[in-house]
Amino acid sequence: MKELTYDQLHNLPADSYVLVDIRDEGLTSYGMIPGAVNIPEEDLKSPGSLDHIPADKKVIFYCEIGRRSRDLYDTLPPFSGRDCYSLAEGYVGYIRASMSDSAVKEAKKEKAEKSIQKKFHKQLFSPFAKACRTYELISEGDHIAVCISGGKDSMLMAKLFQEIRRHRKMNFDLTFLVMDPGYNAENRSLIISNAEALGIPITIFESTIFDAVDTVEKNPCYLCARMRRGYLYSRARELGCNKIALGHHYDDVIETILMGMIHGAQIQTMMPKLHSTNFEGMELIRPLYLIRESDICAWRDYNELHFLQCACHFTDTCTTCHEDGTTSSKRLETKKLIAQLKKSNPFVESNIFRSVENVNVDTVIEYKKGGIRHHFLDEY
């Protein structure tokens, strides 16, 4: 398929083309190019999928980084009589192009920081500080590796850490750590651009995790997440850190609880902090634990920021994964289930969250503590 660059696109009259986003819901929910319509690649196989687009307009397809859209003609029947193009570098290219001007970057940094201090203080900074206080996540003299994946959650976490350190109520050091496990060049460049625009001084190190999981057929996302965690612990310790911070939020917690019950036949939660079992003296903390994802999205959209959902090199060919190794399709299914339940029970989310704070062991058939199983008949 013929390709168009962003410069060429900008030279076209706005009414002469229609942008078609061919990504799935897991990716488009994290943002689309303004004015684009979403027709997932799978739906393009249906006859008449473009009938609602005027025949005299150019159809410009785009995906995440430009590969899937470029190869459409190899996987789909020709779109008869249509003037079709692929947008080079896809959605990631659009984001990078919008962040290229240094004046724009400085303005975005100032607006993002001010919005945390003012407009979103109650929704973001207050629950961040509350989690740090309630779960004792930050201690005097800590050196915390703030782990940045390139997504909205970890980028916001970095800004919140900068803000709480500005208050100087406790002395601690921060290292903003980015691991490159084999990113596409486009994805790595986007992470760097966003970090520069937000004033986050990142430290990048490389690993070969993506190559290692390339040939794994069963649960590659789970293995990738476990390996990434290990590399982050190792590098953080080399840099003198005693903690790593991950960007899991409130919605991650309640989805994990529900997914464990539905898919794993177990009751467990995502803890606000953990001692590392393989790296003595290291801890993992989750300071976004009480922050709602909708508020993170509102902050992102208010500041016109665009982040990656998943930066792995399968981004164009898989549904993408989550930081804990679960596929986004399974997590998206759980999100929809919770949203459906909320229609009849507005307290369902807080009830799921609080359920693991109110476990009555006297009514549990069997539980596990320290790797040892305990049955109710043992003390009946």
Side-chain angles (χ1 to χ4, degrees), residues 321-332:
C321 58
H322 195 263
E323 186 68 29
D324 58 10
T326 57
T327 60
S328 69
S329 57
K330 189 178 293 184
R331 190 163 286 271
L332 185 60

Side-chain angles (χ1 to χ4, degrees), residues 73-85:
Y73 271 9
D74 296 333
T75 57
L76 298 172
F79 300 107
S80 178
R82 292 283 185 174
D83 190 11
C84 297
Y85 299 84

Side-chain angles (χ1 to χ4, degrees), residues 67-220:
R67 295 180 183 175
R68 303 292 288 181
S69 57
R70 185 185 60 211
D71 297 338
L72 273 181
Y73 271 9
D74 296 333
T75 57
L76 298 172
F79 300 107
S80 178
R82 292 283 185 174
D83 190 11
C84 297
Y85 299 84
S86 169
L87 187 59
E89 298 186 26
Y91 182 68
V92 169
Y94 155 73
I95 299 172
R96 287 170 52 205
S98 68
M99 303 286 282
S100 59
D101 188 280
S102 58
V104 170
K105 288 182 179 181
E106 183 60 30
K108 282 187 177 291
K109 174 180 175 292
E110 291 181 6
K111 183 180 179 182
E113 291 177 350
K114 186 175 180 180
S115 67
I116 289 173
Q117 296 161 6
K118 302 290 184 180
K119 184 177 178 64
F120 294 99
H121 188 275
K122 182 178 179 180
Q123 299 94 325
L124 298 178
F125 185 77
S126 291
F128 178 85
K130 181 180 179 180
C132 291
R133 181 174 62 253
T134 302
Y135 303 117
E136 299 177 359
L137 303 183
I138 303 176
S139 301
E140 185 74 23
D142 274 347
H143 187 173
I144 303 169
V146 181
C147 301
I148 297 175
S149 65
K152 68 186 191 315
D153 308 324
S154 59
M155 287 291 191
L156 172 62
M157 178 175 65
K159 295 306 297 178
L160 289 169
F161 264 118
Q162 288 180 327
E163 179 63 19
I164 201 169
R165 187 171 60 174
R166 190 177 66 84
H167 290 220
R168 297 187 180 278
K169 291 187 177 181
M170 196 175 292
N171 292 315
F172 61 93
D173 293 323
L174 298 172
T175 293
F176 300 100
L177 193 59
V178 175
M179 181 184 62
D180 182 348
Y183 289 150
N184 291 315
E186 299 92 338
N187 288 335
R188 176 166 170 149
S189 295
L190 178 58
I191 293 173
I192 294 172
S193 294
N194 275 326
E196 290 176 349
L198 289 171
I200 303 170
I202 58 175
T203 297
I204 303 179
F205 73 101
E206 284 79 24
S207 72
T208 57
I209 292 176
F210 287 166
D211 289 337
V213 301
D214 261 358
T215 57
V216 176
E217 295 183 4
K218 188 176 181 181
N219 295 329

Side-chain angles (χ1 to χ4, degrees), residues 233-253:
Y233 269 128
S234 179
R235 185 59 174 165
R237 187 164 66 177
E238 289 176 8
L239 293 172
C241 302
N242 64 311
K243 293 178 180 178
I244 66 171
L246 300 185
H248 297 115
H249 48 67
Y250 184 96
D251 295 74
D252 288 325
V253 176

Side-chain angles (χ1 to χ4, degrees), residues 226-356:
R226 291 293 298 270
M227 292 179 68
R228 289 170 72 174
R229 186 81 54 85
Y231 272 95
L232 287 170
Y233 269 128
S234 179
R235 185 59 174 165
R237 187 164 66 177
E238 289 176 8
L239 293 172
C241 302
N242 64 311
K243 293 178 180 178
I244 66 171
L246 300 185
H248 297 115
H249 48 67
Y250 184 96
D251 295 74
D252 288 325
V253 176
I254 62 174
E255 289 159 15
T256 298
I257 295 169
L258 199 54
M259 288 169 65
M261 297 173 67
I262 296 172
H263 300 289
Q266 59 187 342
I267 298 175
Q268 64 176 20
T269 189
M270 182 180 280
M271 297 295 286
K273 65 178 181 180
L274 292 167
H275 288 293
S276 172
T277 54
N278 297 318
F279 296 86
E280 187 176 355
M282 296 289 292
E283 282 185 87
L284 179 156
I285 61 174
R286 295 183 169 107
L288 303 190
Y289 204 77
L290 301 178
I291 296 179
R292 298 306 309 266
E293 184 176 25
S294 58
D295 292 325
I296 298 175
C297 292
W299 173 80
R300 174 199 65 192
D301 296 342
Y302 174 78
N303 289 289
E304 299 179 279
L305 298 168
H306 303 275
F307 303 113
L308 293 176
Q309 178 191 11
C310 172
C312 90
H313 63 182
F314 295 124
T315 297
D316 268 356
T317 56
C318 76
T319 313
T320 75
C321 58
H322 195 263
E323 186 68 29
D324 58 10
T326 57
T327 60
S328 69
S329 57
K330 189 178 293 184
R331 190 163 286 271
L332 185 60
E333 177 185 294
T334 308
K335 282 181 184 290
K336 291 179 177 179
L337 174 58
I338 294 173
Q340 185 65 32
L341 292 171
K342 190 177 179 179
K343 292 179 181 178
S344 57
N345 179 5
F347 306 106
V348 68
E349 293 156 317
S350 60
N351 285 347
I352 294 173
F353 185 90
R354 292 179 61 204
S355 68
V356 292

